[in-house]
Amino acid sequence: VAVEVVEETGSTNADLLARAALLQAPLLLVARNQTAGRGRAGRSWLSSSEGSLTFSLAWRFEGGVNRLAGLPLAVGVALAETLGRLGVQVGLKWPNDVLRDGDKLAGILIETQSAKDGGVWAVIGIGLNLLMPDEAEALLGRSIASLPWLARMDRNELLAALLDGLADALREFGRAGFGAFVARWNLRHAWQGETVTILDRGAVLHEGAAAGVDDAGRLLLDTVDGRIAIMAGDVSLRVK
Ligand code: ATP
């Protein structure tokens, strides 16, 4: 995979999306400093030049965008497994977060663009907190996780390890779909059995016990009316 490093940009996802139509091969874009990082549904991702790793990977898949429903979860598994190999245990929160001791350590944002030949480019953005400044929590109004121990590791080595793990996972996802990741995701499900609520723009849509994900990457929820499966869309998940 070709790698490009830039000193500073607004959003590595925005940059790669703008270039996706012209790409011939996978491309990893790393920004030492990302000034306007994005989250889902117009939310933003905060990073610091010294204290976080921000990058996006453009990867082409065959078929339509509907095949990519479980991709954010598969990417979470890849991150968790790589971090695990580096000695850091993390949990996964549906659909797209990596948690450490209950707080968000990394965010995953996937945006897509149709490829000219009928396939689709997925731009997979990852923001990983290594050593975020103290002000970050006040700015965000929530507590977040960092990895001071990993922050001491050589950035290039860390990035290479994450890219290796990601590329393996993306090849596997292309071949086998999310089915290859279900058990691995469920093994790391941070909120298994917890009572959670599903929110849509602040309004509670459902409440129940989180029971892992199915082979389409939907969250299974045991409610008073029985088990239901939730599609990611723009809903948010909160533990009660
Ligand atoms: P959640 O349900 O955790 O609020 P989400 O999955 O709906 O998040 P995302 O789009 O994944 O939201 O992430 C954006 C959110 O992540 C922001 O609204 C902000 O609260 C939080 N956030 C932004 N930067 C960071 C960071 N560096 N570390 C941890 N959390 C962050």
Side-chain angles (χ1 to χ4, degrees):
V1 175
V3 179
E4 275 184 31
V5 183
V6 295
E7 199 52 43
E8 180 172 299
T9 192
S11 153
T12 54
N13 255 41
D15 293 348
L16 281 189
L17 270 179
R19 292 168 60 182
L22 298 171
L23 291 177
Q24 306 284 337
L27 176 62
L28 181 79
L29 178 64
V30 187
R32 284 191 212 280
N33 195 23
Q34 181 176 251
T35 55
R38 312 206 286 217
R40 295 188 305 150
R43 291 185 279 270
S44 56
W45 184 261
L46 187 69
S47 46
S48 103
S49 52
E50 298 300 316
S52 45
L53 207 53
T54 48
F55 59 90
S56 297
L57 173 61
W59 193 273
R60 191 185 161 286
F61 290 93
E62 302 296 335
V65 70
N66 54 343
R67 290 193 50 208
L68 303 185
L71 187 58
L73 289 81
V75 169
V77 169
L79 285 182
E81 290 180 349
T82 301
L83 291 172
R85 280 192 287 276
L86 297 172
V88 177
Q89 301 311 318
V90 296
L92 297 173
K93 177 196 159 192
W94 184 88
N96 67 331
D97 294 335
V98 177
L99 306 184
R100 168 97 169 146
D101 298 329
D103 289 326
K104 191 137 115 183
L105 174 71
I108 298 164
L109 177 69
I110 300 189
E111 297 176 283
T112 57
Q113 163 134 342
S114 311
K116 282 195 291 281
D117 55 7
V120 50
W121 281 99
V123 174
I124 300 156
I126 292 173
L128 173 66
N129 299 335
L130 294 172
L131 196 57
M132 289 294 280
D134 291 341
E135 309 85 76
E137 294 193 331
L139 264 170
L140 292 169
R142 64 196 290 180
S143 66
I144 62 174
S146 279
L147 284 177
W149 176 77
L150 218 59
R152 291 199 290 270
M153 184 175 166
D154 180 86
R155 289 296 150 89
N156 291 338
E157 275 177 38
L158 176 56
L159 197 63
L162 292 169
L163 176 58
D164 259 2
L166 262 176
D168 282 348
L170 296 176
R171 275 182 216 109
E172 195 173 7
F173 188 92
R175 269 196 315 269
F178 183 63
F181 295 86
V182 183
R184 289 148 73 190
W185 198 94
N186 284 329
L187 192 67
R188 295 180 171 76
H189 184 197
W191 290 356
Q192 184 68 20
E194 302 279 338
T195 301
V196 301
T197 52
I198 302 288
L199 303 172
D200 184 6
R201 278 156 287 172
V204 176
L205 288 185
H206 303 286
E207 180 179 321
V213 296
D214 67 8
D215 60 8
R218 298 178 302 181
L219 179 72
L220 299 172
L221 206 60
D222 289 326
T223 73
V224 288
D225 303 318
R227 176 165 285 191
I228 58 173
I230 315 277
M231 305 253 283
D234 270 341
V235 295
S236 297
L237 184 62
R238 291 288 176 274
V239 71
K240 265 204 104 180

